Amino acid sequence: MRWLVRRIHRKGKGQLSYEDDIHFGEQLTIGRAANQSLFLTDMRVALEHARVTALGNGQYRVESVIEAGIRVNGGIVHQINCGPGTQIEIGSHRIELIAAPEDYDAGVEISTIEKSEQEATAARKRLPTSLSETKLGKRMPAWILFVATLTLFLVLPLLSHYIAPLDAVLKSAPLPSRGAWEAGELASAHHFFGEDCQACHSEGFAWVKDKDCLTCHAQTPAHADPVAFNLPELGEARCAHCHRDHNGVAGLIRRDQSLCSDCHQGLQQSTAGKSQLADVSDFGSDHPPFQVSLPTWSKEGQLTMERVAMSPDLQEKSGIKFPHDIHLDAKGIASPAGDKVLVCASCHEPEPGGAAMKPVNFETMCQDCHKLSFDITEPEREVPHAKIDEIVYMLDEFYARRALEGEVTDQAAPESLRVRRRPGQSIEPQQRQLALAWARDKARSVGESLFTGRACTVCHSVSPGRQPGEWQVAPVRVAGVWFDKAHFTHRKHTTMECDSCHAAKESDSSRDLLIPDIANCRQCHAGEAGGHNMLESSCVSCHGYHESQHLLQVDL
C-alpha cells in the first residue's frame, strides 16, 4: 500500500512549503523512535505512540499504543474508525488524514500547531486563579470559611466531649467529633480504652506522666537497671521519650537508630572503659564482628554457653560426626531404598512461626538410611535410638527368648538351642542355664557390634563403660540459639537459598561453624541510611532493649 506523507512547514509572512514523502505498508506508525514511519521529535511523544491503518475506500482506523490514549478531533480515544479530514494531535504536531491522492492509496498531512493556538487552548482549560475571576468578593467567603472552621473543628468536637449521644451521632456521620483533636491513630495495644482519654492524659494540656503509664505497666521489667546501667540518660528518661502514641498501630516503639546509637557510639568513653561492649553506631559501617554462643561442658557435666567472637578458624565441638558435603551430594546418597537426594529442608524444618529450626530428629530424618537393625533374621526390628539401657535390656530379652524357645539359627550356638521346642514344653535346668549364658554372650556381642562397629560410631564417639557390656556415647552439644543477644527469623528470609548464608555443601566436618558472619549479612543489609539495592536496618531490627532480670518499673 502506497502512502503520501506530506509535511507542511510555515515560513515567515504566512508562507507555506510542502515536503512530500512516500511510505509503503498497511500501517503508518507514529512515535519518537527511529523505527517509526512518522518520526516526531517532540519529547512529549512516546517512542511508540500511535498507528494509523488504511482500511480502503477512504477510511482509516486510528489506534493508540499508549494507555493514555490520543486526541482525535478534540477528544481522547484509544481506537476509532474515521475518514478524511480527521485531525490527530500529538504533542505540538497535528496530523490530518486526507483523501488518497492520485496514484496513492492513503495520505496524511503533518503540521506544527502554532504557539498562539496552544496558549489559547491552555487558557480555555485553565481554571480561575484569582478571586476576582469568580465574580466574588473577599470578605464574605472569608467569614463563611471562618465560621465553618470554628463550628466543625471547635464547637462540634467540644460539644461531643460533654454530650455522649451527640458524640455517637457525629461518629456515625461524616462530621468531625472529638476524634478530630487526636494527634493520630492510637497504637494497637491501646485501642481497647481509646475512648477514655483520661486513662493516659490525667492532666489537661500536659504531657503524659510516667505515673500514668505505670498504672497499667507496673509489672513491666525495668528498662534501665541503675546498677548495671548507671547512666543518667537511661535512669532519668521519661517513658514518652521512647514510647510515643498516636503514631499508628505499630508506632508505639521507636525504631530509629538514634535510640541506641546516642549512647552506644560513645559507650567506652561514657563508662570510662568499664563496659564490655564495643562502640557501635551503624550496622553497615560501624559494628563489631558477630559473637556466637557456643555450648561448653564443665567437668561436672554442667552445660554453659560461652560467647565467642566469630573468626575463620572458629570451630564447633558438637560431639557428632556429620559431613554435610556427602549428604548434599547432587547425585544422592545410598540408602536401603536406593539412591536418595537430600536437600537442606530434608533435615532442617522451621519451627512454628519460622524463627528458628526444629531440632534434628533421628527417627524421622535419619533412620530411613541409618537403620538400627541388629539381627539378620528380623531386619525390620531395630533398637531404640539414644537409649543405652533400653538397648541392652532389649538385646538380652530378644536373645534369651530365642534361646529358651529353641529358635537359635546361629551355627556357633550349642546344638540343644537350635532345636525348636513345642509351646509349653519344659526345659531342664541345665539347658536353661546354658541357654541364658549363650543369650547373654550373644547380646553382648551384638551390642559391641552396634556401639563400636556398624551403627553408633558412624555419628557418635563411643567409649567402653565401667563394666563389661556397657558403653558411653558422647553427648551431642548443639547450640539451640547462636545469637542470644539478637533476634533472627528464617521466616523473613524464605526468598533466599540456604547456601546463600550457610556454606554446607563445602563442609566436610561437623566442626565447621556454618553460621554466617557480619560480612554475609551486609550483602543485603545496610544501616539506617540504607544504600543502593540494600535493606535499611536499624539497631532494633535485630536487638531488643536491655531489661533488668530482677527489677520492675515500679522499683525504680
Side-chain angles (χ1 to χ4, degrees):
M1 184 168 286
R2 183 184 175 94
W3 291 71
L4 172 64
V5 179
R6 175 171 293 166
R7 293 182 181 269
I8 303 175
H9 302 284
R10 289 183 173 84
K11 298 183 178 181
K13 298 181 181 181
Q15 295 181 352
L16 302 177
S17 65
Y18 301 90
E19 179 185 348
D20 291 348
D21 194 5
I22 302 175
H23 172 71
F24 295 94
E26 292 286 336
Q27 291 184 340
L28 184 71
T29 56
I30 306 171
R32 190 163 44 84
N35 64 343
Q36 298 297 291
S37 306
L38 191 55
F39 174 69
L40 304 179
T41 58
D42 195 329
M43 292 301 294
R44 290 172 291 180
V45 181
L47 295 177
E48 297 179 1
H49 203 106
R51 56 176 172 261
V52 181
T53 306
L55 303 176
N57 298 324
Q59 295 297 306
Y60 299 90
R61 180 170 66 247
V62 180
E63 300 174 276
S64 173
V65 179
I66 63 174
E67 294 184 2
I70 57 174
R71 186 176 299 277
V72 179
N73 291 336
I76 300 298
V77 299
H78 285 83
Q79 179 176 322
I80 188 172
N81 292 343
C82 50
T86 301
Q87 292 185 347
I88 306 170
E89 294 182 6
I90 301 178
S92 61
H93 297 80
R94 178 179 289 122
I95 304 169
E96 183 174 349
L97 307 179
I98 61 176
E102 186 178 355
D103 297 332
Y104 291 93
D105 300 302
V108 295
E109 290 183 350
I110 305 100
S111 60
T112 302
I113 304 174
E114 295 184 358
K115 290 185 178 180
S116 58
E117 184 179 351
Q118 295 183 39
E119 293 174 356
T121 303
R124 288 195 302 269
K125 297 179 180 179
R126 187 168 57 243
L127 296 175
T129 57
S130 64
L131 190 61
S132 60
E133 295 180 61
T134 65
K135 311 298 183 182
L136 296 174
K138 298 180 180 180
R139 187 173 297 277
M140 184 57 66
W143 275 108
I144 294 175
L145 182 60
F146 172 74
V147 173
T149 303
L150 185 69
T151 303
L152 290 175
F153 298 103
L154 180 61
V155 177
L156 286 180
L158 188 62
L159 292 176
S160 67
H161 180 74
Y162 294 102
I163 305 175
L166 178 61
D167 184 53
V169 172
L170 292 177
K171 286 184 176 180
S172 61
L175 293 172
S177 62
R178 67 175 183 173
W181 288 358
E182 292 183 357
E185 186 180 1
L186 284 171
S188 56
H190 293 167
H191 269 205
F192 75 98
F193 60 81
E195 299 296 323
D196 184 12
C197 300
Q198 288 77 16
C200 295
H201 300 276
S202 59
E203 300 180 16
F205 302 98
W207 283 351
V208 177
K209 307 296 183 182
D210 286 354
K211 61 181 180 63
D212 299 325
C213 300
L214 294 178
T215 302
C216 296
H217 296 279
Q219 298 302 312
T220 300
H223 289 348
D225 187 336
V227 177
F229 306 103
N230 187 18
L231 299 173
E233 295 87 346
L234 294 177
E236 299 175 5
R238 296 175 54 248
C239 298
H241 176 72
C242 299
H243 303 286
R244 299 177 182 177
D245 208 341
H246 297 286
N247 284 323
V249 295
L252 187 60
I253 299 177
R254 281 184 58 186
R255 298 188 177 276
D256 56 288
Q257 188 163 279
S258 62
L259 171 67
C260 304
S261 62
D262 282 352
C263 291
H264 282 265
Q265 65 183 352
L267 194 62
Q268 289 298 321
Q269 181 178 358
S270 62
T271 61
K274 295 181 179 180
S275 175
Q276 298 180 356
L277 301 177
D279 288 350
V280 56
S281 61
D282 183 88
F283 178 77
S285 60
D286 182 27
H287 193 288
F290 289 162
Q291 289 189 338
V292 294
S293 295
L294 292 179
T296 59
W297 296 76
S298 64
K299 295 181 179 179
E300 292 76 20
Q302 294 180 345
L303 174 65
T304 58
M305 303 303 293
E306 180 183 4
R307 295 192 69 206
V308 183
M310 294 189 67
S311 62
D313 57 346
L314 187 62
Q315 292 184 336
E316 175 191 4
K317 300 177 182 179
S318 61
I320 191 170
K321 308 171 188 176
F322 187 85
H324 278 87
D325 57 345
I326 294 178
H327 288 77
L328 293 176
D329 191 336
K331 299 179 182 178
I333 59 175
S335 74
D339 290 345
K340 186 174 183 180
V341 178
L342 299 178
V343 295
C344 299
S346 301
C347 299
H348 299 284
E349 298 179 1
E351 64 180 12
M357 292 292 174
K358 296 179 180 178
V360 175
N361 183 274
F362 176 85
E363 286 75 13
T364 60
M365 300 176 182
C366 308
Q367 200 162 1
D368 285 347
C369 298
H370 296 276
K371 298 293 185 179
L372 297 182
S373 55
F374 58 93
D375 195 285
I376 60 174
T377 61
E378 294 190 31
E380 298 301 323
R381 187 165 184 176
E382 301 180 46
V383 296
H385 177 256
K387 299 176 181 178
I388 297 178
D389 292 341
E390 291 187 22
I391 294 174
V392 173
Y393 182 83
M394 178 179 179
L395 294 177
D396 285 342
E397 183 183 40
F398 178 84
Y399 288 107
R401 173 182 169 276
R402 281 199 165 186
L404 293 175
E405 292 183 358
E407 294 184 1
V408 177
T409 59
D410 187 354
Q411 296 301 318
E415 182 178 356
S416 61
L417 303 182
R418 291 185 274 120
V419 178
R420 181 171 179 80
R421 301 179 180 85
R422 297 189 303 275
Q425 181 180 358
S426 61
I427 182 174
E428 297 181 358
Q430 185 178 2
Q431 289 183 332
R432 181 181 183 85
Q433 292 180 359
L434 178 64
L436 293 178
W438 175 87
R440 182 174 59 256
D441 293 340
K442 181 66 175 180
R444 298 297 178 268
S445 174
V446 173
E448 182 76 20
S449 175
L450 283 173
F451 282 99
T452 63
R454 55 190 174 86
C456 302
T457 55
V458 174
C459 300
H460 301 278
S461 297
V462 181
S463 58
R466 295 181 179 179
Q467 301 294 330
E470 293 182 356
W471 298 274
Q472 291 183 346
V473 179
V476 177
R477 306 166 178 175
V478 178
V481 178
W482 295 97
F483 301 111
D484 58 343
K485 298 297 183 181
H487 53 80
F488 174 86
T489 173
H490 284 87
R491 182 173 56 84
K492 292 185 177 181
H493 296 77
T494 53
T495 57
M496 304 289 293
E497 297 293 337
C498 297
D499 54 9
S500 299
C501 301
H502 306 283
K505 293 181 179 180
E506 291 77 34
S507 173
D508 59 358
S509 172
S510 58
R511 287 179 170 269
D512 295 336
L513 190 66
L514 301 180
I515 302 300
D517 58 10
I518 190 171
N520 184 283
C521 297
R522 281 175 173 168
Q523 295 179 21
C524 299
H525 295 269
E528 186 178 56
H532 181 63
N533 294 333
M534 302 289 282
L535 293 173
E536 297 180 6
S537 304
S538 62
C539 302
V540 295
S541 300
C542 300
H543 299 284
Y545 200 81
H546 34 69
E547 295 181 346
S548 173
Q549 300 295 323
H550 58 280
L551 292 178
L552 301 178
Q553 288 287 2
V554 293
D555 298 328
L556 298 180

